[in-house]
Amino acid sequence: YRSGSGMIQCSHCGHIQNVLPSLLPNEFFQSQIYLDDLRVGVENKYFDTKYQSCEKCGNFGNTLFFNIFENINEDSYNEILSLNITDVEKKLLIMNTITNSTQSLLDLYWYYDFNNKKEVVEYREKLIKLYTENFNKTKDKHSLRMLVELLRRKGEFDVAIKLAKSYKNLPQNDFNKYLDKTNPHENDILKLEIKLCKKKDCSRMIF
C-alpha cells in the first residue's frame, strides 16, 4: 500500500519523485471477488498502480527501494522490453522473471484473462501445476479452491467436481484452522464451483 504522500528516491539511479498512490486497502478488500480472487471493479487500477516506476531509469517495484536491475539478467530484461506489448504487461513479465512467485503468476493470469488474451492458457497451466503442488503438501482449502477454479475455467469439470467435494474430508490442520477464521467463505465458494461444473460453465464468475 502506497498512500501517495511524500517523495521517494530510486535505489538504482537516485532520482527523487512523488510516491505513486496504490489502491486503498478498502478499495481492494471491500470489492466483490471473482472466483479466482481478482477483485471486481478495480481491475484496471490494480494493474496500473501495482508498481511504482522511476521516471528516469525505468526501475520499478512495489516501492523504488527495490532495484530490478540487481535481480534480473540484462538480456532477459531487454528481451521483454523489446516486445510489442503494453508497459503493464512488460512489468508483470519482468517481475515474474525475478520472483516466479504465486502472486506474480496470478497477476499475469488475471491480466491475460481479464484482457481476453491467448496467453492465459499458458499461465493457467502453470498455476494448475503450482496449486497442485501446494495442495499435495498442505491439504489446505485455499489451494484446493484455486485449483478447482482453474480446472473449471479450463473445462475439466469432472476432475474439478471430484476435487471440490474432497473439501469435506480435509484435515483440520493449522492452514485450514487459519482459513476458517480469515476466510469463512471458502466452503461456500467450493459449493458454488460444484454447481457451475455441473452446468459445464467455464466463464469468469463473481462470488
Side-chain angles (χ1 to χ4, degrees):
Y1 167 64
R2 300 182 303 272
S3 67
S5 63
M7 310 291 287
I8 191 166
Q9 183 173 26
C10 176
S11 62
H12 179 65
C13 71
H15 177 69
I16 298 174
Q17 65 189 65
N18 291 318
V19 172
L20 173 73
S22 64
L23 273 170
L24 295 170
N26 63 345
E27 279 185 280
F28 188 80
F29 291 109
Q30 290 180 13
S31 300
Q32 280 186 283
I33 63 169
Y34 293 103
L35 294 184
D36 61 12
D37 278 353
L38 182 60
R39 300 288 167 153
V40 181
V42 297
E43 299 92 338
N44 288 321
K45 189 172 182 181
Y46 173 81
F47 294 119
D48 290 342
T49 64
K50 174 81 178 181
Y51 299 117
Q52 165 106 50
S53 297
C54 177
E55 300 163 338
K56 186 175 180 181
C57 71
N59 182 35
F60 71 90
N62 293 318
T63 169
L64 288 182
F65 294 126
F66 183 74
N67 186 347
I68 61 169
F69 299 106
E70 292 180 351
N71 294 279
I72 190 170
N73 176 275
E74 185 177 354
D75 290 338
S76 298
Y77 176 77
N78 289 331
E79 181 181 349
I80 293 173
L81 281 189
S82 70
L83 297 174
N84 185 26
I85 55 178
T86 66
D87 287 343
V88 169
E89 187 177 348
K90 289 176 184 178
K91 289 175 185 174
L92 296 177
L93 286 167
I94 289 169
M95 195 56 69
N96 184 60
T97 300
I98 293 171
T99 65
N100 193 30
S101 65
T102 303
Q103 189 58 58
S104 66
L105 282 174
L106 263 178
D107 284 340
L108 280 163
Y109 173 72
W110 288 342
Y111 178 82
Y112 290 133
D113 194 39
F114 181 64
N115 290 285
N116 297 310
K117 291 183 174 288
K118 66 181 185 303
E119 290 86 355
V120 69
V121 175
E122 174 187 348
Y123 286 91
R124 182 183 294 126
E125 288 302 319
K126 288 181 178 180
L127 283 169
I128 287 172
K129 180 180 179 181
L130 179 63
Y131 279 113
T132 298
E133 291 172 353
N134 289 348
F135 180 65
N136 287 339
K137 290 177 184 176
T138 62
K139 300 300 181 185
D140 70 286
K141 290 178 186 176
H142 183 71
S143 294
L144 175 65
R145 190 251 290 181
M146 291 298 289
L147 183 54
V148 168
E149 162 67 6
L150 293 162
L151 289 168
R152 179 185 69 82
R153 295 296 306 282
K154 185 181 177 182
E156 294 191 8
F157 302 114
D158 292 340
V159 177
I161 288 173
K162 184 176 180 180
L163 270 173
K165 287 183 176 179
S166 70
Y167 82 91
K168 298 175 183 178
N169 302 316
L170 292 180
Q172 272 299 95
N173 55 29
D174 290 341
F175 286 97
N176 290 323
K177 287 178 182 177
Y178 176 76
L179 283 171
D180 286 341
K181 293 179 181 178
T182 59
N183 190 355
H185 302 300
E186 295 283 358
N187 291 350
D188 292 333
I189 293 174
L190 281 163
K191 290 175 184 177
L192 175 57
E193 292 280 13
I194 292 171
K195 291 180 181 178
L196 292 170
C197 285
K198 288 180 177 178
K199 295 178 181 177
K200 299 193 182 304
D201 187 337
C202 61
S203 60
R204 171 179 283 278
M205 296 294 290
I206 297 171
F207 175 62

